């Protein structure tokens, strides 16, 4: 696994993953996103020092994306999307771990927060196996998890 910072050249790849029906089902926003909307969002993310967007590659192919958004205090909220064609191969834990490693190395991230849709059992298992624990009551159908990176 190797994490690299996303670029505007990744727009089509990331938009395809974002608009995948299974991805949308577990997202805060479930609507299909247009290319224009996505490009505006991506440019904003790439320009924001309080955000880090990574593309994680496995065997030289994009396997997923991990994004970190600065929150109040010392926490960074993580969001992970596995490439639809990579699902079912047991890669999600390694993609998340590589994202955490890169965030710690690039930004000094120590506390990671995750909001997991209550109906997304696979994502809940992923974060629990990765050492995340309940941090607060669920909000708007999303479990609130937290992990301190070592």
């Amino acid at each position: 696994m190797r994490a690299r910072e996303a670029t505007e050249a990744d727009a089509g790849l990331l938009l395809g993953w974002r608009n995948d029906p299974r991805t949308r089902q577990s997202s805060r926003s479930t609507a299909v996103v247009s290319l224009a909307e996505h490009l505006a969002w991506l440019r904003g993310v790439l320009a924001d020092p309080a955000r880090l967007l990574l593309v994680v590659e496995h065997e030289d192919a994009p396997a997923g994306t991990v994004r970190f958004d600065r929150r109040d205090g010392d926490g960074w909220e993580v969001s992970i999307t596995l490439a639809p064609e990579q699902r079912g191969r047991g890669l999600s834990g390694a993609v998340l771990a590589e994202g955490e490693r890169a965030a710690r190395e690039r930004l000094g991230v120590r506390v990671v927060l995750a909001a997991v849709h209550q109906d997304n059992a696979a994502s809940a298992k992923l974060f629990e196996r990765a050492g995340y624990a309940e941090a607060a009551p669920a909000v708007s159908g999303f479990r609130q998890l937290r992990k301190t990176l070592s």
Side-chain angles (χ1 to χ4, degrees), residues 29-139:
S29 172
T30 58
V32 172
V33 175
S34 72
L35 178 58
E37 292 169 316
H38 181 69
L39 280 171
W41 172 85
L42 181 59
R43 289 175 181 138
V45 168
L46 296 176
D48 188 342
R51 301 178 97 177
L52 175 64
L53 181 61
L54 303 166
V55 173
V56 179
E57 297 175 339
H58 174 67
E59 298 175 348
D60 296 321
T65 183
V66 185
R67 189 182 76 239
F68 293 87
D69 298 306
R70 182 87 164 136
R71 296 294 178 238
D72 292 337
D74 60 353
W76 291 76
E77 185 173 337
V78 65
S79 175
I80 180 172
T81 301
L82 203 60
E85 63 275 10
Q86 298 288 358
R87 292 181 186 141
R89 298 183 58 206
L91 298 177
S92 60
V95 169
L96 178 60
E98 178 61 12
E100 291 171 346
R101 184 203 60 75
R104 188 176 57 246
E105 182 180 283
R106 289 178 169 104
L107 299 173
V109 171
R110 304 286 297 159
V111 176
V112 184
L113 312 169
V116 178
H117 194 283
Q118 289 178 322
D119 294 335
N120 190 340
S123 203
K125 284 182 186 177
L126 163 68
F127 284 104
E128 289 164 3
R129 282 192 314 262
Y132 287 73
E134 296 288 337
V139 176

Side-chain angles (χ1 to χ4, degrees), residues 6-26:
T7 69
E8 200 169 316
D10 294 309
L13 175 73
L14 298 175
L15 178 61
W17 294 351
R18 164 59 183 87
N19 280 338
D20 174 74
R22 282 186 50 199
T23 301
R24 289 193 347 262
Q25 183 180 14
S26 298

